[in-house]
Amino acid sequence: MSGDTETEPDYRFTLANERTFLAWIRTALALLAGGVAVSQFSLPRGGSAFHGVFGAVCILLAALVAVGALLRWRSVQSAMRRGVPLPASRLAPAVVGGVCLAAALGVVWAAT
């Protein structure tokens, strides 16, 4: 099948792509909620600046995940329609890096 011709993919694959998109959006919402909670509702243990940085990392990661999820959904849908191999995901490594950064900040926060 050529990469120039578009065909409607099997609906099961389209629905699976949408479920994956929604899973990424749930992850973004959880990060957003965690970032807001850390920056607004935490007891001061290490200074309010630290809460702000920790919360900002989570909130920025949430935005990255949401935008990345949309771009990934579009690229996978386009690849399925053109009958070409699925593109590599850049979202997963970015999320892993961001979550590791947030975890490191959490360890620093717990140690103070």
Side-chain angles (χ1 to χ4, degrees), residues 18-107:
E18 288 178 8
R19 283 190 301 273
T20 302
F21 169 74
L22 292 173
W24 282 113
I25 293 300
R26 283 190 301 272
T27 301
L29 287 171
L31 286 165
L32 180 61
V36 169
V38 165
S39 62
Q40 297 297 316
F41 302 117
S42 294
L43 296 173
R45 292 179 56 191
S48 61
F50 184 79
H51 289 111
V53 170
F54 193 13
V57 166
C58 291
I59 292 168
L60 289 173
L61 186 56
L64 173 74
V65 170
V67 170
L70 177 63
L71 296 175
R72 176 75 180 160
W73 174 79
R74 282 184 178 172
S75 66
V76 167
Q77 197 66 23
S78 175
M80 288 191 306
R81 287 180 184 281
R82 291 181 287 126
V84 298
L86 298 181
S89 175
R90 292 174 289 194
L91 183 58
V95 171
V96 168
V99 168
C100 287
L101 175 60
L105 288 172
V107 168

Side-chain angles (χ1 to χ4, degrees), residues 10-24:
D10 186 329
Y11 72 91
R12 293 172 292 182
F13 299 127
T14 298
L15 293 174
N17 190 28
E18 288 178 8
R19 283 190 301 273
T20 302
F21 169 74
L22 292 173
W24 282 113

